[in-house]
Amino acid sequence: MSTLVIAEHDNSSLKVATLNAVAAAQALGADIDILVAGANCGAVAEEAAKVAGVGKVLVADNAAYEHQLAENVSLLIAEVGAGYDNIIAPATTNCKNTMPRVAALLDVAQISEITAVESADTFQRPIYAGNVIATVKSSDAKKVITVRTTAFDAAPAEGGSATVEALDAVHDAGISSFVGEEVAVSDRPELTSASVVISGGRGMQNGENFKLLEGIADKLGAAIGASRAAVDAGFVPNDMQVGQTGKIVAPDLYIAVGISGAIQHLAGMKDSKVIVAINKDEDAPIFQVADYGLVADLFNALPELEEKL
Amino acid sequence: MKVLVAVKRVVDYNVKVRAKADGSAVDLNNVKMAINPFCEIAVEEAVRLKEAGVATEVIAVSVGDKACQEQIRTALALGADRGIQVETEGVVEPLVVAKLLKAVVDKEQPQLVILGKQSIDGDNNQTGQMLGALANMPQGTFASEVAIDGDKLKVTREVDGGLQTVNLNLPAIVTTDLRLNEPRYASLPNIMKAKKKQLDVYTPEDLGVSVTSHLTQVKVQPPAERKAGIKVADVAELVDKLKNEAKVI
């Protein structure tokens, strides 16, 4: 059995989400190759070749793949993936965009955001915002799978010595083009890979008050997140959203501030190792999942917390 | 231009569903159903395009049993012009839904298809992209802004690091994210009017699509429960616990 893992990267470095996908691939027990599709992405391929347990790194280096346009990359993955039993990708926005196209091109189902591998054809995945865990069995000969990165510990980034092989295949569907991007520049760690996350909710009252989280985040080396309520209210941008329809995080420490704990939010953070909730409503559902709850007005508690850290 | 909007009937987002004790299925008895929130945003966007004079006709389509006509009527009350139901039974996988929608696209030849990015029951996030591949149409998924730019569609997308903007040839697919718009409420007169709007029903056979499952749900179970912890008295105790008990800071 053989598995192709799709690399998540920005053309200069390999993202850790790839290592989570490799771990899921290892759980399947097949030989693992990694596909790096991008432009001027040689450094990524070199990194991928060092990942423990990888046999071969295939590199498709072409302008058509520079911005991960799904129309182009899906054609490449479907072609390369034809020779594999499994195609596995981390459930990042890039791969969520591309992989269903791959599955449709191959006329197979996609198994989205698996959290466990039970056997070569049977997987667990959360449904209904994680309120139910479904066990699903695939009857497809070829499996297209995305992986919930928080459910699999990253494979070691070092220790491997895969061969690197360049692919000539150029697929430019010619129906879409990249215009631009606004990437949030921050010195803080990325939400999905941070070991500490501090998130604010509706209780923050406005975007300005998120500054109260920044000092604490700086002291803890934390990423800053938000609930959907805070995003909907326009306090902060959507890329900070933690929850069912935002980012799924599982840091060592998650601090929820002024977040009531709607099921949609819990779906995005309840696998965190330690959860702290600060809320003035002692009946807020967030306290039912918090290891440490502090019933307090966040406007008093946050400055004090920053000072005491 | 003609705009096709896909809508799905799902459990209302306020309902906390549970797996049945025997693990056979999710307990959906007497549960409130509603239009999937992302589909509602899709309908709103299509209606706004019509109000802006860009769209000439908005068609709402749903795949499901007869009950999903209720959600099609909701879309019609929000401003869609006519409805299409593709009648199916039981759970239909995203790939099959995409094939059925592809057949509707072939029939109706819309310039734009708008779908929700995911439904809040299966949480699959697949159908729009699969339709894109089957119809060979470009896609702007997780859209927070959509604009017609000459003969192209300019879509701003919510991605992990921030926002990405792409230009798509028409016809194109858009899947909606939360911030694309805030859906309106249907007015009573519009709800009444919606009852009289045209609603055609097709079977998968009519559309030449075979409904076969690739996945079997073996069982369902509740997630591992998280035990509630303790309440701390003040910030000092919290910091002490995090340092000395949990040892995470």
Side-chain angles (χ1 to χ4, degrees):
Chain A
M1 201 167 63
S2 60
T3 298
L4 182 68
V5 172
I6 310 304
E8 173 74 22
H9 65 91
D10 57 5
N11 292 318
S12 56
S13 66
L14 188 72
K15 300 286 177 190
V16 68
T18 315
L19 304 178
N20 303 115
V22 167
Q26 282 166 342
L28 271 168
D31 296 333
I32 299 168
D33 292 347
I34 294 184
L35 173 64
V36 177
N40 300 315
C41 55
V44 179
E46 278 174 39
E47 260 189 87
K50 289 184 200 143
V51 176
V54 175
K56 205 159 53 173
V57 174
L58 305 168
V59 193
D61 195 328
N62 190 280
Y65 311 130
E66 183 175 2
H67 301 289
Q68 303 295 328
L69 291 173
E71 297 76 13
N72 300 347
V73 176
S74 61
L75 294 172
L76 172 75
I77 298 174
E79 184 189 85
V80 177
Y84 290 84
D85 300 302
N86 312 298
I87 309 174
I88 297 189
T92 55
T93 47
N94 271 336
C95 293
K96 285 193 221 179
N97 189 32
T98 303
M99 294 301 281
R101 274 188 99 102
V102 174
L105 290 170
L106 296 169
D107 197 26
V108 299
Q110 174 178 299
I111 309 153
S112 292
E113 302 219 18
I114 62 163
T115 50
V117 175
E118 289 200 350
S119 71
D121 61 4
T122 307
F123 310 91
Q124 288 184 7
R125 58 178 303 268
I127 56 176
Y128 290 95
N131 282 308
V132 176
I133 306 296
T135 302
V136 295
K137 187 177 160 102
S138 165
S139 60
D140 288 317
K142 192 184 298 294
K143 282 145 198 92
V144 173
I145 295 168
T146 65
V147 172
R148 177 158 296 187
T149 52
T150 54
F152 294 89
D153 291 333
E158 303 281 337
S161 56
T163 54
V164 178
E165 197 176 291
L167 299 175
D168 303 326
V170 178
H171 291 281
D172 188 348
I175 50 178
S176 59
S177 59
F178 171 82
V179 176
E181 62 191 348
E182 278 174 53
V183 178
V185 185
S186 165
D187 296 335
R188 298 205 174 83
E190 279 181 56
L191 251 183
T192 49
S193 56
S195 59
V196 181
V197 172
I198 181 164
S199 291
R202 201 198 300 275
M204 299 300 293
Q205 295 182 2
N206 59 48
E208 187 69 13
N209 287 336
F210 269 73
K211 287 215 170 74
L212 293 168
L213 304 180
E214 289 176 6
I216 297 168
D218 287 342
K219 286 197 167 171
L220 294 174
I224 298 181
S227 69
R228 176 174 168 181
V231 172
D232 277 357
F235 299 171
V236 291
N238 193 45
D239 56 28
M240 288 170 65
Q241 192 206 151
V242 172
Q244 179 188 18
T245 59
K247 295 197 167 87
I248 311 290
V249 303
D252 294 335
L253 173 61
Y254 187 89
I255 306 174
V257 184
I259 292 177
S260 64
I263 51 175
Q264 289 83 3
H265 185 73
L266 301 184
M269 46 64 82
K270 67 184 164 64
D271 293 325
S272 305
K273 288 206 181 74
V274 175
I275 296 175
V276 169
I278 301 175
N279 201 302
K280 66 178 173 192
D281 173 11
E282 63 178 314
D283 296 322
I286 190 78
F287 288 121
Q288 289 164 20
V289 300
D291 298 284
Y292 302 108
L294 175 61
V295 181
D297 186 330
L298 65 93
F299 295 103
N300 299 326
L302 289 177
E304 197 186 337
L305 179 59
E306 182 179 346
E307 185 199 308
K308 289 206 157 61
L309 285 171
Chain B
M1 67 179 185
K2 215 189 243 189
V3 179
L4 184 70
V5 185
V7 296
K8 184 175 182 186
R9 176 182 172 88
V10 298
V11 171
D12 185 89
Y13 77 100
N14 283 309
V15 175
K16 184 168 178 176
V17 301
R18 288 176 200 287
K20 284 184 185 166
D22 64 2
S24 61
V26 173
D27 191 354
L28 296 181
N29 277 330
N30 300 316
V31 163
K32 187 183 172 203
M33 304 296 282
I35 185 169
N36 181 46
F38 289 98
C39 302
E40 199 174 7
I41 294 172
V43 174
E44 175 67 31
E45 196 64 17
V47 171
R48 286 187 191 188
L49 286 172
K50 191 175 175 204
E51 287 167 349
V54 176
T56 49
E57 188 184 26
V58 176
I59 307 160
V61 56
S62 189
V63 175
D65 61 17
K66 191 148 202 292
C68 80
Q69 289 192 5
E70 190 185 331
Q71 278 61 47
I72 298 175
R73 293 289 173 198
T74 303
L76 296 174
L78 291 169
D81 297 296
R82 63 186 166 93
I84 295 174
Q85 180 207 356
V86 181
E87 186 145 26
T88 57
E89 279 170 41
V91 177
V92 185
E93 290 170 10
L95 181 61
V96 175
V97 174
K99 286 179 180 178
L100 293 167
L101 292 177
K102 159 73 165 58
V104 173
V105 164
D106 288 345
K107 232 179 176 48
E108 295 287 347
Q109 299 288 317
Q111 285 295 96
L112 179 61
V113 187
I114 313 180
L115 309 89
K117 76 166 178 178
Q118 78 191 64
S119 61
I120 59 167
D121 48 3
D123 282 337
N124 281 305
N125 191 338
Q126 299 176 4
T127 306
Q129 296 91 313
M130 286 180 159
L131 176 60
L134 297 175
N136 193 28
M137 281 153 73
Q139 66 193 33
T141 53
F142 327 142
S144 63
E145 209 180 325
V146 173
I148 299 286
D149 189 3
D151 60 345
K152 308 262 186 193
L153 188 72
K154 192 168 157 186
V155 181
T156 303
R157 308 178 51 236
E158 307 266 7
V159 295
D160 282 336
L163 297 171
Q164 183 196 53
T165 304
V166 290
N167 259 345
L168 310 176
N169 288 6
L170 293 170
I173 310 267
V174 165
T175 76
T176 61
D177 215 319
L178 288 176
R179 295 196 303 171
L180 184 57
N181 61 50
E182 209 166 297
R184 70 194 67 191
Y185 291 97
S187 67
L188 190 59
N190 284 343
I191 292 171
M192 300 311 288
K193 256 191 265 173
K195 291 182 178 168
K196 297 201 179 80
K197 287 183 180 174
Q198 183 187 343
L199 198 169
D200 298 315
V201 180
Y202 299 119
T203 63
E205 295 74 50
D206 294 339
L207 298 171
V209 175
S210 99
V211 180
T212 47
S213 289
H214 298 239
L215 296 177
T216 323
Q217 190 167 287
V218 181
K219 67 169 179 183
V220 292
Q221 59 192 327
E225 276 295 320
R226 217 189 151 94
K227 288 194 298 279
I230 56 160
K231 292 248 170 76
V232 292
D234 52 29
V235 171
E237 188 187 351
L238 175 63
V239 172
D240 176 64
K241 292 278 186 196
L242 291 177
K243 272 190 178 145
N244 301 317
E245 192 176 270
K247 298 187 168 68
V248 284
I249 60 171

